[in-house]
Amino acid sequence: MKLRLPFLKNPPLVSVVRLAGSIGMSGRGSMSDTALAPVLERAFTKGKPSAVALEINSPGGSPVQSSLIGGRIRRLSEETKVPVIAFVEDVAASGGYWLAAAADEIWADESSVLGSIGVISSGFGAQVLLARQGIERRVHTAGKSKSMLDPFQPEKEEDVARLKALLEEIHANFINHVKARRGARLDANADLFTGDIWLARKALSLGLIDGVGHLKPKMKDRFGDKVQFRRYGLKKPFWSRFGASLALDAVSAVEERADFARFGL
């Protein structure tokens, strides 16, 4: 039990929330708004923290989950008047950078990879393989667009055009989010929204981050050597400790590894 004396001032407290892995993917390690909601709620409200520090290491994922998580971070920060400071580890790209931009400040290691402010959709076409095997694909729909981009049928120009229109809209939402959060700090003469990536020093010159630095030294500089840290993060489900759903987790791990590999990690 911690003794609290009314005439003694408690040292500053910084809540540390770890946001690591792909966003909105399957598997127990993936981040989602539903899973992170109670974690973020505790981080902002338990113990009256002076700040919430986000440890970010994510190659991205679902744009919707990125938006939901980022929106929740902003609402909690505004409701509690607690500032949010992001610290990037290996990568904050695509949806990972969306989360970082939800913070009031972004700091990174010199070798951190940042950016990838774009949207991607990928898949395979297997219609030739089916034909070679003598397999006939039979699809019946009500609604001409219901089978859009079916990987077992030849690609249609109108389907690709429709998909690109959707991607452009999502990209515009991403751009608006970054501009709203980073504001005048962004380099107005640079083309930041091509999906390109940069290391921290270049990202700093472009206004995508606020500096190069690590979590504990930076927080001690700001709140003093006596600052305390309280960590929050996603916990493994009880059933996972007994090896349940190993196949799903293995597939998810491969998918996540591929996401990180796109950034040379």
Side-chain angles (χ1 to χ4, degrees), residues 16 31 60 74 93 120 140 152 175 201 208 234 262:
V16 181
M31 291 184 283
R74 290 312 317 151
I120 185 172
H140 307 281
F152 300 106
I175 293 171
R201 291 292 180 186
L208 293 172
L234 293 173
R262 291 195 298 117

Side-chain angles (χ1 to χ4, degrees), residues 80-97:
T80 60
K81 309 300 180 185
V82 174
V84 183
I85 306 166
F87 292 89
V88 178
E89 295 182 347
D90 298 281
V91 59
S94 195
Y97 185 74

Side-chain angles (χ1 to χ4, degrees), residues 31-119:
M31 291 184 283
S32 70
D33 180 57
T34 299
L36 284 169
V39 176
L40 292 169
E41 185 75 28
R42 290 194 298 273
F44 277 94
T45 59
K46 189 173 181 180
K48 296 182 179 180
S50 299
V52 170
L54 305 177
E55 285 182 332
I56 298 178
N57 193 15
S58 174
S62 163
V64 174
Q65 290 301 316
S66 300
S67 178
L68 289 172
I69 296 168
R72 185 177 296 277
I73 290 170
R74 290 312 317 151
R75 288 195 303 275
L76 287 168
S77 176
E78 291 163 8
E79 290 169 2
T80 60
K81 309 300 180 185
V82 174
V84 183
I85 306 166
F87 292 89
V88 178
E89 295 182 347
D90 298 281
V91 59
S94 195
Y97 185 74
W98 187 303
L99 299 185
D104 300 299
E105 299 176 26
I106 305 174
W107 296 78
D109 181 83
E110 286 190 345
S111 298
S112 297
V113 177
L114 301 110
S116 191
I117 304 172
V119 185

